[in-house]
Amino acid sequence: MTRPAAGEGRPGPPEDDAALLREAADRLEAIAARTTGGDWHLGGLLASRPEVVAHGPGGGTEHVAEARARSAAWITALSPAVAGPLAAWLRAAAAGDPSPEAAAVARVLLQRLP
């Protein structure tokens, strides 16, 4: 169970590491569910900014910039601030016996990263 953080409307940090992991996973899935779906790709420039297009499973597309209200929380949640801890987790997993879940994250990242 989580408690409210001082001055914030969201719950405070969970009490133990397992609860922390579950809370982060739950929040990540909740944000992803509200975000523009599909497989995101850079598709040239939209005005002077890179154009990010979501390709849906049915073949439809949507410009992510046109769906900012749904995508903003996802973009900010996975800002560059996540890179350090995520890279550290991947390295720690590689140093031991990597779980299938860690390998799955690495595969998706390697397909997506330049």
Side-chain angles (χ1 to χ4, degrees):
M1 188 75 149
T2 59
R3 63 183 188 281
E8 293 185 29
R10 28 167 70 157
E15 298 301 321
D16 60 42
D17 287 345
L20 182 86
L21 293 168
R22 286 190 296 272
E23 178 74 15
D26 290 348
R27 288 188 191 187
L28 185 63
E29 288 174 337
I31 289 172
R34 296 191 305 263
T35 300
T36 304
D39 189 14
W40 292 17
H41 294 279
L42 289 176
L45 292 178
L46 180 63
S48 62
R49 294 179 294 266
E51 177 182 27
V52 180
V53 179
H55 297 263
T61 61
E62 181 176 13
H63 292 256
V64 174
E66 293 172 0
R68 282 187 292 263
R70 292 194 335 233
S71 302
W74 179 259
I75 293 166
T76 58
L78 295 178
S79 75
V82 176
L86 181 57
W89 173 70
L90 289 168
R91 287 187 181 102
D97 184 19
S99 69
E101 296 82 5
V105 169
R107 279 189 205 93
V108 170
L109 286 171
L110 290 173
Q111 289 172 358
R112 311 294 310 172
L113 293 169

